[in-house]
């Protein structure tokens, strides 16, 4: 049953179509009590049909249901038939759908449409009665209240899922950074081994050349040192290359350019963090290390905003490319005042340190701090061309 429930949850059209079919079947069963059977059957079959797609196209199906309800009122006026349709319960279901899956504003407009239809029914064909009107109002209120609870649960589940996605994404990024750091260490070791070995070989070869005729023993010792050093360097080179041949990072990491920045911003928006993004200039053809640096600064800044900027945080991200560098500016609404230690969320402080180190490696600069109005701002400048030391 759990598997069937999960499968059915992923296919809303199937469940909603079954609900519409039940209403149609009940209308067909009740057609025998109608004064005008043809009109009753036509309305009874058409009115529940929009329920089949209520969660796929909620606004369109709500409009269709309201139009069919107004048509029912018109037909009832023309044929003087005040028969009640059990499919009128679809109005409450559609109201629930709008409030739970779209929003209160759409539900309110739909409710106003139902009020208009109710007034027209009373004026045109004299139904429903007072008691029926009270029951209808209570039914709609119940549907609205249930939709509020279900909508809040859906919003909570969506936020939890988004935060889990951000956590998984951050975990993958940290794993990739760890692998990249390890490879950098291996590359430095390789550089040290090869540079040292080549330097020794050159010095020993020069000494052997001068000592070859005057001191054959010293020349022989120099050649032995050259051979030993070469073998050791070759052994280290093979070991290091064997480590580097294994690809540890996922194929999708790292993402560079505007796509990577947009992905981080979209994931943060899914957690409830309001983010405004502004990208200026061509950011997709810059060097990978610069692009990755921009990506990391935006990611770390938005993560800090999510952690420290209070219950309703908002951030503005602006990335601008100039002729000489890339400027990153991330500003948020700020968190609790530094003079209120009880209200502050204490962090490790390693995020800013990591950003400063990354920017320094790329030859740029980074400033971070709180403004007088309480907003927190991170501003970084990364040059497009750098000359790293050998």
């Amino acid at each position: 049953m759990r598997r069937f429930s999960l499968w059915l949850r992923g296919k809303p059209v199937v469940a909603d179509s079954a609900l519409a079919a039940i209403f149609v079947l009940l209308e067909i069963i009740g057609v025998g009590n109608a004064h005008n059977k043809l009109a009753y059957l036509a309305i009874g079959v058409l009115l529940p049909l929009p329920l089949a797609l209520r969660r796929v196209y909620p606004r369109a199906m709500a409009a269709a249901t309201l139009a069919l309800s107004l048509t029912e009122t018109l037909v009832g006026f023309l044929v003087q038939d005040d028969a009640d349709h059990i499919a009128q319960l679809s109005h409450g279901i559609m109201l629930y759908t709008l409030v739970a899956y779209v929003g209160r504003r759409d539900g309110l407009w739909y409710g106003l449409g139902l009020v208009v239809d109710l007034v027209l029914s009373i004026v045109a064909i004299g139904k429903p009665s007072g008691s029926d009107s009270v029951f209808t109002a209570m039914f709609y209120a119940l549907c609205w209240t249930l939709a509020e609870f279900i909508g809040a649960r859906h919003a909570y589940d969506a936020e939890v899922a988004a935060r889990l996605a951000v956590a998984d994404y951050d975990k993958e990024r940290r794993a990739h950074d760890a692998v990249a750091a390890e490879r950098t260490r291996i590359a430095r070791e390789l550089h040290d081994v090869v540079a040292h070995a080549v330097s020794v070989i050159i010095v020993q070869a020069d000494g052997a050349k001068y000592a070859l005729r005057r001191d054959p023993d010293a020349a022989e010792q120099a050649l032995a040192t050259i051979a030993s050093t070469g073998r050791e360097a070759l052994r280290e080179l093979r070991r290091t290359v064997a480590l580097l041949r294994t690809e540890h990072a996922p194929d999708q990491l790292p993402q560079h350019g505007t796509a990577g920045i947009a992905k981080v911003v979209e994931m943060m928006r899914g957690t409830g963090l309001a983010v405004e993004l502004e990208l200026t200039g061509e950011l997709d053809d810059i060097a990978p290390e610069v692009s990755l640096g921009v990506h990391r600064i935006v990611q770390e800044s938005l993560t800090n905003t999510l952690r420290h900027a209070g219950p309703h945080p908002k951030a503005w991200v602006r990335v601008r490319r100039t002729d000489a560098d890339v400027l990153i500016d991330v500003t948020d609404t700020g968190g609790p005042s530094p003079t209120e230690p009880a209200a502050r969320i204490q962090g490790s402080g390693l995020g800013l340190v990591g950003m400063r180190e990354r920017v320094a490696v790329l030859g740029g600069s980074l400033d971070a701090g709180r403004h007088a109005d309480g907003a927190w701002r991170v501003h970084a400048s990364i040059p497009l061309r750098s000359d790293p030391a050998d």
Side-chain angles (χ1 to χ4, degrees):
M1 289 299 296
R2 178 174 176 80
R3 290 182 180 179
F4 177 74
S5 176
L6 292 175
W7 176 84
L8 198 61
R9 186 180 301 176
K11 299 182 181 301
V13 175
V14 176
D16 294 338
S17 297
L19 178 62
I22 291 174
F23 276 119
V24 171
L25 181 60
L26 292 176
E27 290 288 345
I28 294 175
I29 294 175
V31 71
N33 299 325
H35 174 69
N36 191 317
K37 294 182 174 51
L38 181 60
Y40 181 92
L41 186 60
I43 295 297
V45 171
L46 292 177
L47 191 58
L49 291 184
L51 291 177
L53 298 176
R54 66 184 181 93
R55 282 184 282 181
V56 180
Y57 307 105
R59 291 188 178 92
M61 295 302 103
T65 302
L66 192 58
L68 288 172
S69 181
L70 293 172
T71 303
E72 177 196 2
T73 301
L74 178 61
V75 171
F77 172 74
L78 294 177
V79 301
Q80 292 300 310
D81 186 3
D82 59 351
D84 292 325
H85 292 272
I86 193 172
Q88 289 176 345
L89 295 175
S90 61
H91 296 321
I93 297 175
M94 199 62 69
L95 179 64
Y96 159 84
T97 303
L98 286 175
V99 176
Y101 294 94
V102 181
R104 296 187 184 96
R105 179 179 299 179
D106 295 85
L108 181 60
W109 282 111
Y110 184 75
L112 292 176
L114 292 178
V115 171
V116 172
D117 179 51
L118 181 63
V119 172
L120 291 177
S121 297
I122 296 175
V123 173
I125 56 180
K127 72 160 192 174
S129 62
S131 59
D132 290 339
S133 299
V134 173
F135 173 79
T136 302
M138 293 180 60
F139 174 66
Y140 290 160
L142 177 63
C143 292
W144 186 293
T145 304
L146 182 60
E148 289 285 352
F149 282 104
I150 299 299
R153 179 58 183 269
H154 288 166
Y156 173 78
D157 292 342
E159 182 174 353
V160 169
R163 288 181 179 269
L164 289 175
V166 171
D168 291 341
Y169 181 78
D170 189 60
K171 181 180 178 181
E172 290 181 356
R173 289 290 183 181
R174 291 182 185 275
H176 177 265
D177 288 343
V179 172
E182 180 66 14
R183 292 190 173 199
T184 301
R185 185 186 67 81
I186 293 173
R188 289 173 180 170
E189 291 180 358
L190 177 61
H191 177 272
D192 294 340
V193 169
V194 174
H196 170 74
V198 172
S199 299
V200 171
I201 289 173
I202 291 174
V203 171
Q204 293 295 324
D206 288 341
K209 182 176 67 174
Y210 287 109
L212 183 60
R213 295 173 183 256
R214 300 178 182 180
D215 191 351
D217 292 337
E220 182 180 358
Q221 181 63 35
L223 292 174
T225 302
I226 291 173
S228 175
T229 303
R231 291 190 186 95
E232 182 64 24
L234 183 61
R235 187 181 306 111
E236 291 291 329
L237 180 62
R238 286 174 175 171
R239 181 181 66 84
T240 306
V241 170
L243 289 175
L244 292 175
R245 280 176 177 172
T246 304
E247 179 63 40
H248 298 283
D251 294 335
Q252 297 180 349
L253 300 175
Q255 275 197 341
H256 301 291
T258 56
I261 299 174
K263 182 176 181 180
V264 171
V265 169
E266 188 63 27
M267 293 186 67
M268 289 299 176
R269 285 172 179 166
T271 66
L273 173 62
V275 184
E276 291 185 9
L277 176 63
E278 179 181 340
L279 303 176
T280 306
E282 183 56 53
L283 298 171
D284 290 326
D285 61 349
I286 59 180
E289 61 273 13
V290 175
S291 182
L292 183 58
V294 174
H295 182 280
R296 286 291 192 268
I297 292 171
V298 173
Q299 179 188 21
E300 184 66 29
S301 299
L302 293 180
T303 301
N304 289 339
T305 298
L306 188 64
R307 292 172 179 169
H308 307 298
H312 301 291
K314 185 175 182 179
W316 295 263
V317 179
R318 296 176 179 87
V319 181
R320 179 167 62 93
R321 176 181 176 174
T322 64
D323 294 336
D325 53 14
V326 178
L327 303 177
I328 307 104
D329 193 277
V330 182
T331 308
D332 61 43
T333 50
S337 172
T339 61
E340 302 175 6
R344 298 183 64 196
I345 300 176
Q346 299 295 335
S348 64
L350 297 179
L352 283 177
V353 174
M355 286 194 290
R356 293 185 191 277
E357 290 179 350
R358 182 178 294 277
V359 172
V361 168
L362 296 173
S365 61
L366 184 140
D367 295 318
R370 188 184 297 273
H371 287 190
D373 59 356
W376 184 269
R377 179 174 182 256
V378 176
H379 178 76
S381 174
I382 302 178
L384 293 174
R385 299 178 182 84
S386 60
D387 297 323
D390 190 2

